[in-house]
Amino acid sequence: QVQLVESGGGLVQAGGSLRLSCAASGYTFRTYHMGWFRQAPGKEREFVAGIVWDGVSTSYAESVKGRFTISRDNAKNTAYLQMSSLKPEDTAVYYCAADLNMLALKSGARYWGQGTQVTVSS
């Protein structure tokens, strides 16, 4: 059974930091590209960050560049999203996702986690 389980969400004040984790199981983690998405109430799901299978390349939404960092530890089957300088507009449910193809991941990943709520207060 494929499982992606996010953790680390919560309530934080503007300017603060959070680190989200995504624990993966049931597939060959190290061969899959990983990504983070978010969805705010009334808005479409938005790509936030992606990292290729071996970690050598990353990509970010323009709105989070310089503030968020995606990483992965293939030995632990875990992906991370370090979020700093958080803003109220970052408030959303954050989802972890995986796919063998990065373009496919960005347009609708093969595997998804259940999401974790991040709320940034002003």
Side-chain angles (χ1 to χ4, degrees):
Q1 289 272 52
V2 171
Q3 283 193 304
L4 300 176
V5 181
E6 301 96 334
S7 62
L11 175 64
V12 65
Q13 294 185 143
S17 299
L18 285 173
R19 188 175 79 153
L20 306 183
S21 298
C22 173
S25 61
Y27 71 101
T28 307
F29 178 83
R30 63 179 176 83
T31 69
Y32 276 69
H33 309 305
M34 300 296 296
W36 289 93
F37 294 75
R38 66 187 182 187
Q39 188 167 27
K43 299 183 68 175
E44 294 183 358
R45 187 170 295 187
E46 173 190 21
F47 172 79
V48 175
I51 185 167
V52 299
W53 67 276
D54 57 358
V56 301
S57 180
T58 59
S59 60
Y60 297 91
E62 188 67 29
S63 60
V64 307
K65 285 182 179 177
R67 300 188 298 119
F68 291 10
T69 302
I70 187 171
S71 61
R72 65 190 297 159
D73 186 340
N74 286 349
K76 296 182 181 294
N77 284 4
T78 303
Y80 305 94
L81 185 68
Q82 177 67 50
M83 305 184 294
S84 299
S85 301
L86 283 162
K87 305 174 181 179
E89 50 262 45
D90 295 319
T91 295
V93 176
Y94 283 71
Y95 298 90
C96 178
D99 206 290
L100 288 168
N101 180 280
M102 182 58 76
L103 287 176
L105 185 152
K106 291 181 176 180
S107 62
R110 182 175 303 187
Y111 302 133
W112 293 89
Q114 82 289 347
T116 186
Q117 177 71 47
V118 172
T119 302
V120 184
S121 62
S122 60

